């Protein structure tokens, strides 16, 4: 059958028109197209975030901040606001490559370093800590009682269970922090100088191993010096200092060139500093000295980094352990680290009113191996997705990784007393920009 020429022409025109519509619908919106960034974030909403932080910095609420958002495989927002050093006579503007004290954002990096030793076959998660640090053998459990005069005293009894490496990673080891909350065990930490910075990792490990356990290991979550002990464990197993090990196994391979335990002299002009006096309490703000290599390389809170460097670490985790052809961990290990490792009983014990648990994961959150992990879509006052992992640092830094949304969010500032407020504002406004 012969098709008339006029019919063929009409069919061809209709096909071309349909193709044009489909191609137009597939076009990638730019920052000026419908108010969206290339990573499908709302540019107008992100400007609200920038404007809020800019106003607060101008009003003296925080010195400055660096914001980095990464979504769908690209950086969709990067902003440096305020000043780098408010204490200098001529303050330079904050820049995205400013170097921050990240404090407890050290913990996820050291936890990854530990899991690399697990993958190497050199460490077992269910092994007692004493297998690698013999000083932890036969730890005693502290039981608070009243003496004849009614004063609280500690009785030391054999612990029915010793802490494992997994307990260190998920903060169920029976250890604690002496500086957060009050208890007789915490007072023992302070009297023994466990919180000091003039100890090597070996000396720290031997000193904290003389402390009584605050609770039976494996029974509850309590934020603790556990990751500091992991730093000592890494040194003992690897035969290297913690800083050298992390540089060779994680920081160097990932290209985290500005991360470590101190800042070289020629880069110290990039250090972000806090206010001399806190804007609320009017008390001096004292952060750790990062201008010279420390005696104590704290696995729980001693590192420095930049938003750019820490993004590379987070991208590696979001990618299942690999970045730019460099494999750090297997996808299965990463999935385990970013999954909840706390039982319902552990969480219930941690949430008893008056418990001295420190920074307890909030409602809807559990804890994995180095990260807090979201377990439910509701309950928490903040938005995110089930499976989101996060942590923050005392100096004011914070991050989270949301695999469902392919999102990484990083907030860097040096304002310790304002950290809780800005973490919540940052999270709410980022998810409000979807």
């Amino acid at each position: 059958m012969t098709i008339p020429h006029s019919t063929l022409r009409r069919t061809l025109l209709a096909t071309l028109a349909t193709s044009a519509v489909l191609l137009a619908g597939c076009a990638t919106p730019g920052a000026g197209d419908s108010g969206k960034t290339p990573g499908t974030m709302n540019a107008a909403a992100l400007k609200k975030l920038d404007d809020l932080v800019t106003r607060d910095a101008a009003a003296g609420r925080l010195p400055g901040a660096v914001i980095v958002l990464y979504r769908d495989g690209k950086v969709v927002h990067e902003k440096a606001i305020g000043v780098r050093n408010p204490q200098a006579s001529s303050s330079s503007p904050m820049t995205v490559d400013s170097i921050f004290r990240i404090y407890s954002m050290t913990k996820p990096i050291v936890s990854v370093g530990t899991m690399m030793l697990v993958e190497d076959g050199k460490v077992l998660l269910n092994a007692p800590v004493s297998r690698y640090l013999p000083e932890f053998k036969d730890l005693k459990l502290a039981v608070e009682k009243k003496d004849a005069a009614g004063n609280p005293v500690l009785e030391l009894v054999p612990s029915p269970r010793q802490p494992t490496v997994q307990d260190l990673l998920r903060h169920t080891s029976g250890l604690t922090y002496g500086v957060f909350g009050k208890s007789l065990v915490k007072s023992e930490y302070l009297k023994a100088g466990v919180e000091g910075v003039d100890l090597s990792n070996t000396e720290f490990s031997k000193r904290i191993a003389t402390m009584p356990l605050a609770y039976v290991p494996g029974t509850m979550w309590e934020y603790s010096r556990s990751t500091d002990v992991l730093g000592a464990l890494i040194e003992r197993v690897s035969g290297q200092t913690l800083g050298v090990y992390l540089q060779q196994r994680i920081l160097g391979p990932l290209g985290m060139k500005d991360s470590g335990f101190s800042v070289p002299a020629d880069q110290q002009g990039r250090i972000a500093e806090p206010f001399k006096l806190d804007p609320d309490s009017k008390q001096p703000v004292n952060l750790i000295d990062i201008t010279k290599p420390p005696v104590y390389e704290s696995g729980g809170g001693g590192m420095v980094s930049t938003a750019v460097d820490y993004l590379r670490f987070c991208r590696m985790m979001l990618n299942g352990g690999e970045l730019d052809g460099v494999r750090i961990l297997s996808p299965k290990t990463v999935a385990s680290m970013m999954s909840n490792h706390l039982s319902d009983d552990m969480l219930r014990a941690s949430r008893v009113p008056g418990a001295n648990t420190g920074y307890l994961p909030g409602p809807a959150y559990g804890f994995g191996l180095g990260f807090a992990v979201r377990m439910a879509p509701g309950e928490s006052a903040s938005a995110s997705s089930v499976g989101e992992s996060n942590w923050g640092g005392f100096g004011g830094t914070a991050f989270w990784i949301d695999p469902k949304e392919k999102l990484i969010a990083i907030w860097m500032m040096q304002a310790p007393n304002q950290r809780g407020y800005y973490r919540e504002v940052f999270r709410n406004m980022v998810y409000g920009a979807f």
Side-chain angles (χ1 to χ4, degrees), residues 153-216:
V153 294
L154 284 181
E155 179 182 338
L156 302 185
V157 301
S159 176
R161 183 181 178 283
Q162 294 295 306
T164 65
V165 177
Q166 183 186 26
D167 287 321
L168 293 178
L169 284 158
R170 66 186 180 183
H171 293 281
T172 57
S173 64
L175 302 177
T176 186
Y177 265 115
V179 294
F180 300 128
K182 294 183 178 179
S183 71
L184 293 183
V185 172
K186 292 174 184 290
S187 295
E188 292 297 312
Y189 273 53
L190 296 177
K191 286 189 289 186
V194 172
E195 309 291 343
V197 296
D198 58 346
L199 306 172
S200 68
N201 269 307
T202 295
E203 291 167 336
F204 162 79
S205 178
K206 291 180 178 179
R207 185 171 298 186
I208 198 171
T210 67
M211 295 293 98
L213 295 170
Y215 57 90
V216 177

Side-chain angles (χ1 to χ4, degrees), residues 198-274:
D198 58 346
L199 306 172
S200 68
N201 269 307
T202 295
E203 291 167 336
F204 162 79
S205 178
K206 291 180 178 179
R207 185 171 298 186
I208 198 171
T210 67
M211 295 293 98
L213 295 170
Y215 57 90
V216 177
T219 62
M220 66 181 287
W221 184 92
E222 177 162 347
Y223 197 42
S224 70
R225 300 300 296 263
S226 290
T227 320
D228 286 309
V229 176
L230 286 175
L233 184 150
I234 286 174
E235 289 195 349
R236 206 77 61 91
V237 173
S238 70
Q240 299 174 299
T241 65
L242 181 60
V244 168
Y245 175 85
L246 295 179
Q247 178 62 39
Q248 291 185 1
R249 298 296 302 270
I250 300 174
L251 307 180
L254 289 180
M256 297 172 66
K257 59 185 177 62
D258 292 313
S259 300
F261 286 98
S262 62
V263 181
D266 62 349
Q267 300 299 320
Q268 290 176 8
R270 294 164 53 201
I271 297 174
E273 298 289 2

Side-chain angles (χ1 to χ4, degrees), residues 167-175 215-216 218-224 340-343 345-351 355-362 365-368 370-372 391:
D167 287 321
L168 293 178
L169 284 158
R170 66 186 180 183
H171 293 281
T172 57
S173 64
L175 302 177
Y215 57 90
V216 177
T219 62
M220 66 181 287
W221 184 92
E222 177 162 347
Y223 197 42
S224 70
N340 176 51
H341 281 245
L342 304 182
S343 68
D345 287 343
M346 291 177 191
L347 285 168
R348 273 193 295 269
S350 302
R351 291 174 175 149
N356 285 293
T357 54
Y359 293 101
L360 179 69
Y365 281 90
F367 206 86
F371 303 78
W391 208 238

Side-chain angles (χ1 to χ4, degrees), residues 38-347:
T40 64
M41 301 285 282
N42 186 302
L46 291 176
K47 186 177 184 302
K48 289 181 184 179
L49 170 63
D50 294 344
D51 289 347
L52 181 147
V53 179
T54 300
R55 288 194 303 269
D56 284 2
R61 294 297 306 152
L62 75 165
V66 175
I67 297 167
V68 175
L69 300 177
Y70 177 94
R71 193 177 184 211
D72 293 331
K74 59 182 73 70
V75 174
V76 296
H77 191 68
E78 186 177 78
K79 191 75 172 180
I81 297 170
V83 298
R84 181 185 284 157
N85 184 359
Q87 301 183 39
S89 56
S90 57
S91 297
S92 58
M94 184 71 79
T95 58
V96 294
D97 67 345
S98 295
I99 301 171
F100 294 81
R101 301 162 181 85
I102 62 171
Y103 282 92
S104 287
M105 279 169 55
T106 304
K107 289 180 171 72
I109 297 175
V110 170
S111 297
V112 165
T114 303
M115 295 306 294
M116 295 177 82
L117 291 176
V118 171
E119 288 194 346
D120 289 345
K122 295 179 179 180
V123 170
L124 294 176
L125 286 183
N126 61 359
V129 176
S130 59
R131 176 178 295 184
Y132 311 104
L133 300 171
E135 57 266 32
F136 277 80
K137 187 178 180 181
D138 299 325
L139 298 180
K140 296 294 188 287
L141 177 67
V143 179
E144 287 200 17
K145 293 190 173 184
K146 301 283 188 181
D147 64 13
N151 299 312
V153 294
L154 284 181
E155 179 182 338
L156 302 185
V157 301
S159 176
R161 183 181 178 283
Q162 294 295 306
T164 65
V165 177
Q166 183 186 26
D167 287 321
L168 293 178
L169 284 158
R170 66 186 180 183
H171 293 281
T172 57
S173 64
L175 302 177
T176 186
Y177 265 115
V179 294
F180 300 128
K182 294 183 178 179
S183 71
L184 293 183
V185 172
K186 292 174 184 290
S187 295
E188 292 297 312
Y189 273 53
L190 296 177
K191 286 189 289 186
V194 172
E195 309 291 343
V197 296
D198 58 346
L199 306 172
S200 68
N201 269 307
T202 295
E203 291 167 336
F204 162 79
S205 178
K206 291 180 178 179
R207 185 171 298 186
I208 198 171
T210 67
M211 295 293 98
L213 295 170
Y215 57 90
V216 177
T219 62
M220 66 181 287
W221 184 92
E222 177 162 347
Y223 197 42
S224 70
R225 300 300 296 263
S226 290
T227 320
D228 286 309
V229 176
L230 286 175
L233 184 150
I234 286 174
E235 289 195 349
R236 206 77 61 91
V237 173
S238 70
Q240 299 174 299
T241 65
L242 181 60
V244 168
Y245 175 85
L246 295 179
Q247 178 62 39
Q248 291 185 1
R249 298 296 302 270
I250 300 174
L251 307 180
L254 289 180
M256 297 172 66
K257 59 185 177 62
D258 292 313
S259 300
F261 286 98
S262 62
V263 181
D266 62 349
Q267 300 299 320
Q268 290 176 8
R270 294 164 53 201
I271 297 174
E273 298 289 2
F275 290 125
K276 185 175 182 179
L277 298 178
D278 179 74
D280 295 327
S281 69
K282 309 304 180 186
Q283 296 299 307
V285 181
N286 297 310
L287 301 183
I288 56 175
D289 181 8
I290 55 175
T291 61
K292 56 183 182 293
V295 174
Y296 176 42
E297 294 182 335
S298 167
M303 290 185 70
V304 303
S305 192
T306 64
V308 174
D309 271 10
Y310 213 86
L311 175 63
R312 293 191 65 79
F313 174 76
C314 292
R315 286 176 59 197
M316 178 274 294
M317 295 299 291
L318 182 63
N319 290 345
E322 179 271 340
L323 182 65
D324 295 339
V326 175
R327 171 126 338 249
I328 302 295
L329 291 172
S330 78
K332 287 293 187 182
T333 298
V334 170
S336 178
M337 294 184 73
M338 298 174 72
S339 299
N340 176 51
H341 281 245
L342 304 182
S343 68
D344 290 343
D345 287 343
M346 291 177 191
L347 285 168

